[in-house]
Structure formats: C-alpha cells, structure tokens
C-alpha cells in the first residue's frame, strides 16, 4: 500500500503545478500522473479512503498524520470548504484532476459552474465540509450535496470511542483529535437527512454502557445546543463535553461499574469519584479543554447544589454542565441497567419535567422535553464491538 503522506505531498505538488502551468503543460501533466499513481496504490483493494483536514491536522481514515500537522495545502483545502475528501476505487485520473481543478478554482475565489459541480457528484470522489453548518454564511449548494453523500457509519464511531477509552486507561492520554472527529461525524449523521434525526444507541451488553452512553449524551447535547440556538464551535464543544463527561469511569473498578444491585457505601463512594477523576484526566491533557473538564466535574451536581462532588460553597454550575446534566439523566434512565429495566422516553421526560427548577435548569429541561417530543430518534442496536469498554 502506498503511503498516505507521500500521496498527499504529491497532491500538493499538483496544486502547486496548477498555479504555474496551464492544463496540458508536461510538468503539470507529469505531476498529475505521479500523484494519481500513488492514489491508485492507496485505494487499490481498500474500498474507499478518506482524508480529513480539521484543526490544522490531517487525518487519514481514523489515523492522525502527525507529520502533516499544519500542512499548508490541508489548511487551504479546509479554508475553501473541503474538509473531507473520500476517494474510492473507481476514481479515474480525470475525476482526480477535476477535483483538484475545483479546489484550485476555490483557492482563487472562482466558483464552479453547475455542470462541473454535478459531474463531481457522479465520480469516485466525494468531498465537502465535515459539518453542514452556516457559521460563515450559507455554504454553496454543491458543498451541501456532496457532504450529504459522504458515507456514514455509526459503528466506526463506536469503535473509535472504545479505542479512546482504552487509550485513556492504558496510556493515560486522551486522543483529542479523534474525540473531535467523532463529534463531527455524529453531527454529520444527525444532519444527513432532510430533518434532524438523532441516532441513539441501544445497549446490548452491560459492559458496553460507558461507550453507548457517551455517544448518546454527545448526540443529545449537540442536538439540544442547536435546538436552543447555539451554532458551530459552541455546539461541538457541547458534543465533546457530552462525549467525555464520564471519562473518569476508566478509573473505577469494572465490577463496581456493572454491579447488578445496590451499592454499599464504600462502592458508592468509589463510583462517585468519577467526576473528579474525569476532570483530572482531561485537564492533565490540555488546559484548553476547560469546558469538557468542568462538565466532567459538575455533571452530577443538580441545580439546587445537591449531588456530587459536594460544593464547598453554593454556586451555579457552568451552563454546559447544566445542559449535559439533562441529557445525561435522560439517557441513563432510558437504558437497561443491571438493577432495572430501561424507562420509556415519556416516563423519563416526565421525571425531567417534574424536577425542573430544582434538579434541572428550566432553561434546558423545557426545550429538551420539547425537542424530544418533536424530533425523530433512531435507536440503533449496539453491534458486537471488538473489545468491551470499561
Ligand atoms: Fe457520570
Ligand atoms: Fe453519565
């Protein structure tokens, strides 16, 4: 298999050659030939391959290409709305060249005509933004359509989340970029239909709880954030906070996590360490992750100050903690636990309504109930993962 880094570097050469030479010039054609050859090696027998350019990093499938951090062409592609490119085996040299020409026109600020845009949608290359958001004005229609065709697989995200938990447990490191990728990917899944659809996982085995629950809380937190009018990065921060809120559970013995019965005082005390542990792990990784760390610390603290860890003085918790708290309780209630069956959505929403104002912040409880009554959810059975999450 050819090296994804070498392939991207060759793609950079083509883009550079395009600015120097017209179509047909031998130097430009040679650069395209060489790069296309590397692309063929890369996709041969592999189905499709995906590159993502986000946060100044380059990701190949699920692997971060550290040597291409701050890679100039990745930054430029992302800046013109090409944050993700997917090549499949049917990609021809002509498709590849058309894709690069489109990128090149976008760099120059010249938009494509519609014939070219629709042509691209029928080739072996799909590309667009990773999120259909309107942060910087409406994206052109072709970007919306191409990104909507990007294949999405929830199972891949679940595998990544499980892998992340193992990384935290074994290496003490949070793979942040992957966490952000999962959040973007979940957001894409939510927006892939005409109406918003919340993909929620159903638990099959008790020891998959943390993975299932983290995914669901990330989806619900982003949906609620959007529902109340947040946008772009603010929504993604809520997603990351939801995804990482229970990270501290990697420090809790598994027999306590999946205990089928009432906790002893000692076990409860142990379990209640997870918010502090979570915040410690997250802050140890990156001080810029302040919001997810605060949410990890505060997500079991109620609006009236009850819950845990106990506060030394009375204060309101962070807005993100109050938002995640509603989503967290809802998902926990709607999931089968070793000691009780899952509640129905109506029953869980009823409890949230009843306790709005003391456990839950009404500014999130009300909209959450409305949202869950209005928006469609899609329950997906958690398929057999490779390794059980903690
Ligand atoms: Fe928790
Ligand atoms: Fe939780």
């Amino acid at each position: 298999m050819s090296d994804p880094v070498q392939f991207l570097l060759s793609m950079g050469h083509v883009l550079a050659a395009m600015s120097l030479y017209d179509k047909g010039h031998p130097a430009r054609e040679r650069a395209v030939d060489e790069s296309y050859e590397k692309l063929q090696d890369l996709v041969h027998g592999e189905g499709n391959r995906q590159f993502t350019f986000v946060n100044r990093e380059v990701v190949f499938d699920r692997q971060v290409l550290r040597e291409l951090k701050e890679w100039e062409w990745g930054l430029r592609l992302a800046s013109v709305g090409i944050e993700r490119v997917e090549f499949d085996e049917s990609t021809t040299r002509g498709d590849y060249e058309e894709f690069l020409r489109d990128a090149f026109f976008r760099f120059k600020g010249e938009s494509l005509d519609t014939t070219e845009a629709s042509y691209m949608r029928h080739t072996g290359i799909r590309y667009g933004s990773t999120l259909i958001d309107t942060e910087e004005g409406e994206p052109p229609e072709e970007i919306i359509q191409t990104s909507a065709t990007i294949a999405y697989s929830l199972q891949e995200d679940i595998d990544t989340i499980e892998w992340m938990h193992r990384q935290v447990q074994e290496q003490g490191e949070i793979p942040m970029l992957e966490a952000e990728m999962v959040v973007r990917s979940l957001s894409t899944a939510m927006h892939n239909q005409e109406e918003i659809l919340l993909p929620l996982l159903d638990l099959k085995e008790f020891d998959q709880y943390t993975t299932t629950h983290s995914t669901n809380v990330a989806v619900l937190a982003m949906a609620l954030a959007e529902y109340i009018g947040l946008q772009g990065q603010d929504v993604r921060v809520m997603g990351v906070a939801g995804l990482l809120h229970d990270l501290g559970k990697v420090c809790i013995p598994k027999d306590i996590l999946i205990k089928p019965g009432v906790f002893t005082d000692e076990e409860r005390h142990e379990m209640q360490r997870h918010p502090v542990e979570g915040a410690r792990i997250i802050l140890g990784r990156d001080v810029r992750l302040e919001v997810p760390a605060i949410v990890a610390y505060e997500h079991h603290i109620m609006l009236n100050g009850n819950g845990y860890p106990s506060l030394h003085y009375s204060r309101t918790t962070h807005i993100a903690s109050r938002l995640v708290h509603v989503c967290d309780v809802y998902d926990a209630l709607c999931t089968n636990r070793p000691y009780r069956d899952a509640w129905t959505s109506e029953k869980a929403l009823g409890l949230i309504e009843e306790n709005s104002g003391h456990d839950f912040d009404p500014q999130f409880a009300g909209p959450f109930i409305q949202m869950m009554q209005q928006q469609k959810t899609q329950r997906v059975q958690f398929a057999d993962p490779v390794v059980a999450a903690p």
Side-chain angles (χ1 to χ4, degrees), residues 108-282:
K108 293 203 302 179
E110 293 168 18
S111 56
L112 270 184
D113 72 45
T114 48
T115 5
E116 271 173 309
S118 68
Y119 167 70
M120 290 311 296
R121 288 201 292 276
H122 295 99
T123 69
I125 306 179
R126 285 177 288 271
Y127 57 93
S129 54
T130 54
L131 278 181
I132 305 165
D133 61 30
T134 52
E135 245 174 326
E136 279 132 28
E138 287 291 320
E141 199 190 357
E142 70 266 21
I143 298 182
I144 293 182
Q145 294 193 4
T146 47
S147 55
T149 64
I150 288 168
Y152 169 77
S153 149
L154 201 57
Q155 185 58 45
E156 246 181 71
D157 293 322
I158 296 165
D159 293 344
T160 308
I161 296 171
E162 293 193 314
W163 173 82
M164 273 170 46
H165 285 148
R166 287 200 303 279
Q167 285 290 108
V168 174
Q169 210 163 29
E170 290 159 17
Q171 322 280 340
E173 282 247 330
I174 311 172
M176 258 333 287
L177 190 70
E178 284 79 0
E180 203 151 311
M181 289 296 301
V182 166
V183 162
R184 281 173 179 265
S185 176
L186 291 173
S187 175
T188 305
M190 281 160 56
H191 295 92
N192 245 352
Q193 320 282 324
E194 260 170 45
E195 338 167 49
I196 292 192
L197 182 81
L198 306 181
L200 298 177
L201 292 175
D202 272 337
L203 184 67
K204 218 164 91 185
E205 307 283 341
F206 288 130
D207 59 1
Q208 295 159 347
Y209 178 69
T210 307
T211 306
T212 311
H213 175 63
S214 307
T215 314
N216 289 350
V217 175
V219 167
L220 292 169
M222 281 194 284
L224 180 55
E226 281 184 19
Y227 194 79
I228 60 168
L230 298 185
Q231 287 184 347
Q233 185 57 22
D234 292 338
V235 173
R236 291 194 288 272
V237 167
M238 296 297 180
V240 173
L243 191 67
L244 302 181
H245 80 281
D246 268 342
L247 197 68
K249 286 189 179 172
V250 299
C251 303
I252 311 300
K254 196 172 159 187
D255 51 336
I256 298 183
L257 281 181
I258 60 168
K259 183 179 175 185
V262 182
F263 287 143
T264 62
D265 284 349
E266 202 179 316
E267 287 164 344
R268 182 173 306 101
H269 183 74
E270 184 69 12
M271 185 68 164
Q272 291 186 349
R273 274 177 43 223
H274 81 268
V276 177
E277 294 294 347
R280 186 182 55 78
I281 298 171
I282 298 172

Side-chain angles (χ1 to χ4, degrees), residues 83-101:
E83 292 179 308
R84 189 191 299 223
V85 189
E86 196 181 301
F87 300 98
D88 73 24
E89 277 193 275
S90 69
T91 307
T92 64
R93 185 188 184 282
D95 298 340
Y96 182 51
E97 196 175 5
E98 280 305 311
F99 156 66
L100 293 173
R101 277 187 58 210

Side-chain angles (χ1 to χ4, degrees), residues 42-73:
L42 200 65
V43 294
H44 182 68
E46 297 289 340
N48 65 46
R49 295 328 284 284
Q50 186 180 294
F51 291 93
T52 311
F53 311 105
V54 283
N55 292 349
R56 320 187 77 78
E57 302 265 9
V58 178
V59 183
F60 171 58
D61 290 341
R62 294 271 151 175
Q63 171 203 352
V64 180
L65 303 177
R66 306 273 176 210
E67 53 273 68
L68 290 184
K69 187 172 175 62
E70 315 254 327
W71 182 52
E72 186 203 344
W73 291 108

Side-chain angles (χ1 to χ4, degrees), residues 1-14 31-42 51 58 60 63 65 67-68 71 73 96:
M1 188 191 86
S2 107
D3 181 346
V5 175
Q6 291 306 320
F7 161 65
L8 285 180
L9 294 176
S10 74
M11 191 172 94
H13 291 156
V14 179
V32 177
D33 285 341
E34 285 173 8
S35 185
Y36 178 62
E37 210 173 291
K38 290 189 165 62
L39 173 63
Q40 279 183 306
D41 280 354
L42 200 65
F51 291 93
V58 178
F60 171 58
Q63 171 203 352
L65 303 177
E67 53 273 68
L68 290 184
W71 182 52
W73 291 108
Y96 182 51

